[in-house]
Amino acid sequence: MLPYVFILPWILGVLLFQAYPILDAFYHSFTVYDVFQPAKWVGLRNYRNLLENSHTRMALQNTLLYVAVSVPGGLVVGLLQALLLNVKVRGLQLFRTLAIVPGTVPAAGAAAVSIFIWSPSLGLINSILEWLGLPWRQSWLVDPVMVKWIFIFMTIQGGIGMLIFLAGLQNVPQELYDASKIDGAHSMQTLLNVTLPMLTPYTLFNLLTSLIGAFQYFTGPMLMTGGGPAGGSTFYAQIIYESAFILFRMGHAAALAWILFVICVVIVVVVFRSSASWVYYEGGN
């Protein structure tokens, strides 16, 4: 009985601050609710409206594009950074510190700096192009197509994923590298047949956390463009926020949130199911 007493605060926290809000949102996703008036049951109307809403479809398309590009890109960048930072060179600790600094910058600060860089009129990039005498000035943040790609490539970085890959590299047994040298394997063969297979558990962790985080991408577009122009940088999490806290359409927002929840669960289940065929655990699957 005593162990349950010690974990009781955690259990209460999970029930009150996680389980209850999730179930409450599920109920309100079938209602019209604006906080000020009692909820009115409308069945599946919120979900039908979402499927017919072009703004919602555009936000979902932008988010899926963001996930499809930024998640693999972030994994590749993080892995390459970890491989470079695993090489024994002078000043290694300094290089590792510099590599992780971009990932520690607050999202609001990064957005402010990015506005200065990408601004079409006074932005750093266009100013440099003009100083170099190049006529190639771009509208950047006011172009509906270009703006979404700016947000995608802004967030492709190693960050915490790089640290996790680096920790994984430290745990690869040296005996495997010695055996590959004895067998005459060159560097690329060693990378493909020793390093990458041993890093697959870390890749799985980074993949799952990156996927979940990417579907909730919100801060940068909200602060820099507000979702514009013409919805070009509107992402799914932003329309949940706008529906709930600007328009006070809580039922609509709850339905949006549950659709996102189901999408994330399906993707996580698929990744976990597929991991049995490509993730290697030294102690067995």
Side-chain angles (χ1 to χ4, degrees):
M1 185 64 183
L2 186 59
Y4 294 101
V5 174
F6 283 108
I7 66 173
L8 182 61
W10 177 83
I11 294 175
L12 292 176
V14 170
L15 293 177
L16 292 175
F17 301 113
Q18 294 186 20
Y20 172 73
I22 290 173
L23 296 176
D24 183 71
F26 181 70
Y27 166 74
H28 281 106
S29 70
F30 299 99
T31 68
V32 171
Y33 181 48
D34 63 358
V35 180
F36 306 105
Q37 301 293 330
K40 179 182 177 182
W41 184 268
V42 294
L44 295 174
R45 193 176 80 182
N46 287 329
Y47 292 95
R48 286 196 300 266
N49 290 342
L50 292 178
L51 295 176
E52 298 170 357
N53 192 312
S54 59
H55 185 61
T56 301
R57 291 199 301 269
M58 176 180 290
L60 183 58
Q61 290 171 359
N62 290 342
T63 303
L64 292 175
L65 176 63
Y66 175 79
V67 171
V69 178
S70 68
V71 171
L75 290 175
V76 172
V77 170
L79 177 61
L80 292 177
Q81 287 181 339
L83 290 171
L84 289 173
L85 296 175
N86 196 45
V87 178
K88 301 297 186 292
V89 296
R90 186 185 298 273
L92 181 59
Q93 296 303 320
L94 174 62
F95 294 137
R96 289 179 176 178
T97 302
L98 294 176
I100 195 59
V101 164
T104 63
V105 176
V113 174
S114 298
I115 292 175
F116 167 70
I117 293 174
W118 297 103
S119 173
S121 57
L122 303 175
L124 178 63
I125 293 181
N126 277 345
S127 297
I128 292 175
L129 293 175
E130 184 177 7
W131 179 72
L132 293 175
L134 300 176
W136 194 67
R137 292 177 60 87
Q138 290 294 322
S139 52
W140 304 119
L141 295 180
V142 296
D143 185 280
V145 176
M146 188 174 294
V147 67
K148 68 183 64 178
W149 289 102
I150 289 176
F151 283 117
I152 289 172
F153 289 110
M154 271 175 49
T155 54
I156 295 180
Q157 54 181 293
I160 302 301
M162 179 271 292
L163 285 181
I164 294 172
F165 277 129
L166 185 58
L169 289 171
Q170 304 294 315
N171 289 327
V172 178
Q174 183 60 39
E175 294 81 4
L176 296 179
Y177 291 123
D178 295 337
S180 68
K181 289 181 180 179
I182 294 173
D183 291 338
H186 54 70
S187 300
M188 185 57 66
Q189 289 174 325
T190 301
L191 174 65
L192 295 177
N193 297 296
V194 176
T195 305
L196 294 184
M198 294 300 294
L199 287 179
T200 48
Y202 305 90
T203 304
L204 175 62
F205 178 82
N206 280 338
L207 175 61
L208 291 174
T209 55
S210 298
L211 282 170
I212 295 171
F215 273 108
Q216 301 177 64
Y217 184 49
F218 169 78
T219 308
M222 187 65 186
L223 294 178
M224 292 176 61
T225 62
S233 63
T234 300
F235 291 87
Y236 198 85
Q238 182 178 340
I239 62 173
I240 296 177
Y241 167 81
E242 291 176 348
S243 297
F245 302 112
I246 296 179
L247 302 176
F248 291 101
R249 300 174 63 188
M250 292 296 178
H252 184 83
L256 285 168
W258 262 89
I259 290 174
L260 179 61
F261 174 73
V262 170
I263 292 174
C264 289
V265 168
V266 170
I267 292 177
V268 168
V269 169
V270 170
V271 172
F272 264 119
R273 288 292 183 89
S274 67
S275 66
S277 62
W278 60 272
V279 177
Y280 169 78
Y281 295 103
E282 193 171 358
N285 292 329

